[in-house]
Amino acid sequence: MEADTIFVACAAGFGGDRFDASGPLIDHLSTCSGPRYLIFETLAERTLAIAQNQMLRGDGPGYSEFLERYLEPVLADCQKAGIKIVTNLGAANVAGAGTRARQLADELGLRDFKIALVEGDDLLSVTSEEAISEMATMEGNLIERPLVGANVYLGARPIAEALRLGADLVITGRCTDAALTLGPVVHEFEVSDEDMHMLAAGTLAGHLLECGPQVTGAYYADPPYKNVPDLANVGYPVGEIGRDGDVVITKPCGTGGLVSEGTVKEQILYEMHDPANYLTPDVTLDVSQVNVAQTGPDRVRLRGAAGKPPPATLKATVSMDAGFLGEAEMSYAGPNARARAELAIEILRRRFQRLAITCPVRFDILGVSSIFDDDRGTLRAGEAGAGDGDFRVRVAARSDDKDELERVALEVYSLWVTGPAGGAGFRKQLSSKVKTASVLVDPALPDVSVRLV
Amino acid sequence: MEQREDEGPLHWFAHARAGDKGNSVNISVIPYHAGAYEHLLTEVTVDRVRTLLGHRAIGAVNRYEVPGLPALNFVIEDALEGGVNLSLGLDGHGKSLSFRILTMPVSIPIKFAHEAALE
């Protein structure tokens, strides 16, 4: 019998998301009748760049460092319940992720467990750095060689093909987050390239699910304006996609969180520019006329997503080395602490001049103004404010030269003995950075392959 | 029926979420009551958004109307001083900027405020 509804549950919205979210989702899916999928979305723009950097330095597997923690607890239960898994845990090394997942399945004693890999997002395997650097850029920085990586956003078709081959687990690298959901929709409903209505519905569902609990009450609470119960036990989302194009977002019984019109509306527009033209390789999604209705407790129905053909080009993210970020902090508290914090910054500015620190440096005072401010501290300068309190001086600098950042941090450190009275709680941190740019790619260029391993 | 216009922060009347893309940020503004939407159209303007973020070297600000929800969606170019990869600031994603927008003083009938604002 052909299914009227498919069920897609999202157990991770970013790499490092809670590892115990999948249990209630598998229990929930086990009560649903129809095709059921569990997805893990773990690949932000910078996550892939970090994985590539690790591969280059030889100190990481290239696939998600969390692969075991997400997959090991669910493989047996999913196979038993007939739930298929789709994930981009492959990151910069899909083949390696497949090998590791196969080991896990073997260790668990799973039989006839089929793993499919979607590869071909890596542009450096089909063209040169030089050719990539000459591609038209959409946003971000100019392209400077050497590149750390260049990965094109694949769509839902390769995932649907992997499912057609009978995969129980599909592992991808870079693909659109929504494709993890649209792939199953395309496969189960045999959606054609011309069926804009279903492509739009599946993409909207995928867009809502891709950040996990951000649609079920997480990242939403603002009490008493927006109350969300039991976030410590927040339920991750389940999407129900109907053959008619209706989408329902819900969550497992007995979990915390909230599915309301408000939580869903915030997530519809999350990371969206023109709501009538959300570009993906599968469809151009228009959410401007979507109707959102609460149809039951923790059940919200979306109707009216529209689609137009996708753009003629694919989008790729190019990542490049961006040196290092150095940060150092020192606190001042109690009477007249603001003045002491400002004095610390004044001392540091003069010391950095004397030490010929030429890299960009930013100063914040946490407790006065930091998060909304700009690099010049414009808002802080306008905040006279009380002089007493609990303030933390933060210094941030960016440079290709680690030693320069170390000199910056040591100057903050030396405020212990050279700075204003009562400095306390010094901390410092150095992190390597990757910058990205987006380029337009001819769809014929990537060599996309789907294979069972 | 006479309508009392009340000055208050946008936070009384709407909620918001910010998301980044490169060096730009989008911020949705969603009214608690659908009836406030027409007031948001006249109160929450591109110029006022620009003023709240004007201390940064922002580029173009676009406002998209989403009548189906209803909601507004602002896209502010070059708002993130380098974005998540390059920013020297603590909030390279610009995630907190939704609450910067919610500080905007607006004049909207108080009946459209969230009940928590009236207590």
Side-chain angles (χ1 to χ4, degrees):
Chain A
M1 192 186 77
E2 284 194 346
D4 288 324
T5 304
I6 83 162
F7 300 84
V8 181
C10 182
F14 74 98
D17 204 350
R18 287 182 187 168
F19 299 110
D20 55 3
S22 51
L25 291 175
I26 293 172
D27 292 345
H28 178 98
L29 290 175
S30 297
T31 68
C32 301
S33 90
R36 290 150 304 154
Y37 290 85
L38 189 67
I39 65 173
F40 297 86
E41 197 293 289
T42 62
L43 207 53
E45 238 178 36
R46 53 202 297 271
T47 319
L48 183 54
I50 291 164
Q52 278 157 336
N53 238 350
Q54 283 179 344
M55 280 257 281
L56 285 177
R57 291 198 307 263
D59 65 355
Y63 55 80
S64 169
E65 61 182 308
F66 304 115
L67 180 137
E68 290 90 349
R69 298 190 68 179
Y70 285 124
L71 292 186
E72 201 270 338
V74 305
L75 291 182
D77 288 344
C78 282
Q79 190 189 32
K80 194 172 159 198
I83 298 166
K84 314 263 185 170
I85 303 166
V86 182
T87 178
N88 54 15
L89 282 163
N93 184 6
V94 176
T99 303
R100 187 71 189 103
R102 174 57 66 200
Q103 281 174 354
L104 289 174
D106 289 346
E107 285 162 21
L108 292 163
L110 303 186
R111 293 188 180 181
D112 302 322
F113 188 77
K114 289 187 176 176
I115 300 172
L117 307 183
V118 174
E119 294 169 290
D121 59 297
D122 179 8
L123 284 182
L124 288 171
S125 66
V126 290
T127 190
S128 67
E129 290 197 15
E130 189 178 5
I132 291 168
S133 67
E134 285 166 5
M135 290 175 181
T137 55
M138 292 169 67
E139 61 194 27
N141 310 283
L142 293 174
I143 296 175
E144 299 157 10
R145 285 176 275 162
L147 307 182
V148 174
N151 295 76
V152 67
Y153 282 86
L154 302 179
R157 292 280 158 199
I159 293 171
E161 170 64 11
L163 294 169
R164 196 186 62 78
L165 296 175
D168 299 295
L169 165 64
V170 181
I171 301 176
T172 78
R174 173 61 73 212
C175 63
T176 65
D177 296 346
L180 300 178
T181 298
L182 182 59
V185 172
V186 166
H187 169 64
E188 297 293 346
F189 292 154
E190 296 178 348
V191 179
S192 76
D193 284 342
E194 286 71 44
D195 188 350
M196 295 301 147
H197 180 59
M198 273 318 297
L199 291 171
T203 299
L204 175 60
H207 173 68
L208 289 170
L209 294 171
E210 72 187 38
C211 292
Q214 275 197 197
V215 73
T216 52
Y219 210 68
Y220 184 77
D222 181 19
Y225 288 82
K226 295 187 290 180
N227 292 310
V228 180
D230 198 10
L231 274 174
N233 184 38
V234 66
Y236 280 49
V238 178
E240 303 174 2
I241 301 101
R243 191 178 281 280
D244 56 4
D246 276 9
V247 174
V248 170
I249 299 293
T250 187
K251 69 181 185 70
C253 287
T255 58
L258 173 73
V259 182
S260 70
E261 292 180 15
T263 68
V264 170
K265 287 175 182 177
E266 281 198 18
Q267 196 58 19
I268 289 177
L269 293 174
Y270 180 67
E271 291 182 345
M272 187 166 279
H273 281 197
D274 179 357
N277 292 287
Y278 183 71
L279 305 177
T280 82
D282 298 298
V283 67
T284 298
L285 173 65
D286 176 357
V287 300
S288 61
Q289 299 299 332
V290 166
N291 174 270
V292 178
Q294 189 96 41
T295 56
D298 293 316
R299 278 184 75 82
V300 167
R301 186 200 65 207
L302 298 101
R303 187 173 275 175
K308 292 176 280 192
T313 49
L314 299 175
K315 171 180 152 177
T317 299
V318 180
S319 26
M320 299 152 278
D321 180 31
F324 303 91
L325 175 73
E327 296 164 285
E329 299 178 0
M330 186 77 91
S331 279
Y332 299 87
N336 203 30
R338 170 76 186 273
R340 286 180 280 131
E342 295 284 359
L343 175 59
I345 290 175
E346 192 185 317
I347 294 167
L348 290 170
R349 279 190 203 281
R350 295 183 58 182
R351 288 293 298 173
F352 292 163
Q353 268 180 2
R354 181 177 300 188
L355 296 171
I357 301 291
T358 56
C359 66
V361 181
R362 167 173 171 145
F363 301 92
D364 290 299
I365 300 181
L366 282 65
V368 179
S369 164
S370 59
I371 204 95
F372 288 157
D373 218 331
D374 67 334
D375 285 347
R376 293 164 304 165
T378 308
L379 296 181
R380 191 179 90 243
E383 287 275 344
D388 303 351
D390 187 332
F391 301 115
R392 186 156 179 80
V393 171
R394 172 178 178 272
V395 182
R398 192 177 60 240
S399 174
D400 292 334
D401 179 1
K402 266 188 193 178
D403 291 339
E404 185 175 24
L405 297 178
E406 185 61 20
R407 292 204 301 279
V408 168
L410 285 174
E411 270 310 309
V412 181
Y413 192 30
S414 75
L415 291 173
W416 279 130
V417 293
T418 62
F426 172 78
R427 297 285 188 280
K428 70 173 172 129
Q429 174 167 294
L430 182 78
S431 45
S432 60
K433 303 299 278 187
V434 171
K435 60 185 171 184
T436 59
S438 296
V439 296
L440 299 173
V441 178
D442 178 351
L445 181 61
D447 182 19
V448 181
S449 78
V450 180
R451 61 187 171 107
L452 291 173
V453 292
Chain B
M1 195 177 84
E2 189 189 352
Q3 284 195 342
R4 194 159 63 93
E5 296 283 330
D6 279 79
E7 280 273 333
L10 180 58
H11 185 239
W12 288 3
F13 302 96
H15 53 109
R17 181 173 291 187
D20 68 316
K21 201 161 278 183
N23 197 25
S24 63
V25 66
N26 87 290
I27 301 173
S28 60
V29 177
I30 305 166
Y32 284 112
H33 296 278
Y37 181 62
E38 60 178 300
H39 299 276
L40 296 183
L41 288 173
T42 53
E43 292 289 308
V44 188
T45 62
V46 164
D47 283 346
R48 285 190 181 171
V49 166
R50 186 173 276 291
T51 300
L52 282 173
L53 299 173
H55 56 294
R56 297 190 180 182
I58 60 173
V61 179
N62 276 300
R63 186 180 84 169
Y64 297 97
E65 297 169 13
V66 194
L69 296 184
L72 297 175
N73 189 41
F74 288 88
V75 177
I76 302 118
E77 307 287 345
D78 300 323
L80 300 181
E81 302 193 298
V84 62
N85 295 315
L86 294 178
S87 169
L88 290 173
L90 281 166
D91 182 17
H93 290 97
K95 283 176 178 283
S96 68
L97 295 178
S98 50
F99 281 87
R100 177 85 178 157
I101 298 304
L102 292 178
T103 64
M104 182 184 296
V106 292
S107 181
I108 294 177
I110 199 72
K111 66 178 178 179
F112 294 128
H114 190 289
E115 60 188 22
L118 306 176
E119 285 162 6

